[in-house]
Amino acid sequence: NNGIAVYNRTLTLIQEASYMGIRLSKAEGEGVAWLKGIEFSNGILEFDVRGEDVKQHSFVGIAFHGKNDSTFDAVYLRPFQFRVQDEVLRNRGIQYISLPDFTWRKLRERFPGKYEHAVEPAPDPNAWVKVRIVIKDSTVTTYINGATEPSLVVEKVNHMHTGSIGFYVGDTSGGDFAN
């Protein structure tokens, strides 16, 4: 049974000149639009995503190796950090998490700078961004907008190596996904 199972969000369709896709509404807590009937282990995930330049309210990306609505890995962007002047904040433009045990807060406290990084060159925080994530065993490598150098390379912090994939939005965030 193909389709999408939406957790903690409302899904609407978007149709723009170059982008046909989905929009997830804003709400409290994490939200995911799971792609039903797909089991993913290793490979390449490519998609376009659009957040917004709203401080602390735009967290957009993809969940993978999902076991359920609260147990999954994710890589997401913080578009509002792409072009900030403060280098510490700019270095939080892209993030890896592994819920429920390894939230961004816990990873930042235990391993400062290891699971988040700046996105260079910095995209427009209100524009569509092309994301390419290469997952090979426990290594997760993320490229933004066709860059040859990755914006983030991390080793997974768990032993989940297969599961569902879905479009992810963080607490209070909505987001647009296409392609």
Side-chain angles (χ1 to χ4, degrees), residues 110-127:
R110 291 191 187 168
F111 312 100
K114 184 171 180 179
Y115 293 99
E116 56 190 348
H117 202 270
V119 176
E120 300 290 346
D124 176 345
N126 293 299

Side-chain angles (χ1 to χ4, degrees), residues 119-168:
V119 176
E120 300 290 346
D124 176 345
N126 293 299
W128 285 99
V129 176
K130 180 168 278 314
V131 178
R132 182 173 188 261
I133 302 174
V134 179
I135 299 167
K136 177 143 180 31
D137 302 321
S138 62
T139 303
V140 180
T141 307
T142 306
Y143 300 87
I144 302 298
N145 283 341
T148 54
E149 290 298 313
S151 288
L152 185 68
V153 180
V154 297
E155 293 297 314
K156 288 170 51 75
V157 294
N158 62 48
H159 299 290
M160 298 186 300
H161 292 289
T162 189
S164 302
I165 56 175
F167 298 108
Y168 169 85

Side-chain angles (χ1 to χ4, degrees), residues 2 15-16 22 27 46 50 55 92 103 123 127 137-139 144-145 160 163 173:
N2 288 345
Q15 297 183 345
E16 298 176 5
I22 63 169
E46 273 189 315
R50 180 172 59 192
K55 188 174 177 147
R92 296 175 180 168
T103 62
D137 302 321
S138 62
T139 303
I144 302 298
N145 283 341
M160 298 186 300
S173 177

Side-chain angles (χ1 to χ4, degrees), residues 47-52 54 56-62 74-82 92-97 117-120 123-125 127-133 142-145 151-152 168-170 173-177:
F47 60 98
D48 293 318
V49 64
R50 180 172 59 192
E52 54 187 352
V54 178
Q56 303 304 343
H57 291 287
S58 187
F59 312 97
V60 292
I62 197 155
V75 170
Y76 65 90
L77 304 176
R78 292 188 184 100
F80 59 90
Q81 303 287 39
F82 286 169
R92 296 175 180 168
I94 185 171
Q95 173 82 49
Y96 163 86
I97 56 173
H117 202 270
V119 176
E120 300 290 346
D124 176 345
W128 285 99
V129 176
K130 180 168 278 314
V131 178
R132 182 173 188 261
I133 302 174
T142 306
Y143 300 87
I144 302 298
N145 283 341
S151 288
L152 185 68
Y168 169 85
V169 289
S173 177
D176 298 344
F177 302 88

Side-chain angles (χ1 to χ4, degrees), residues 32-49:
V32 185
W34 295 107
L35 304 178
K36 288 165 52 175
I38 296 176
E39 185 82 2
F40 177 81
S41 298
N42 285 311
I44 297 172
L45 301 172
E46 273 189 315
F47 60 98
D48 293 318
V49 64

Side-chain angles (χ1 to χ4, degrees), residues 10-22:
T10 301
L11 182 149
T12 54
L13 298 180
I14 51 175
Q15 297 183 345
E16 298 176 5
S18 301
Y19 297 92
M20 306 276 281
I22 63 169

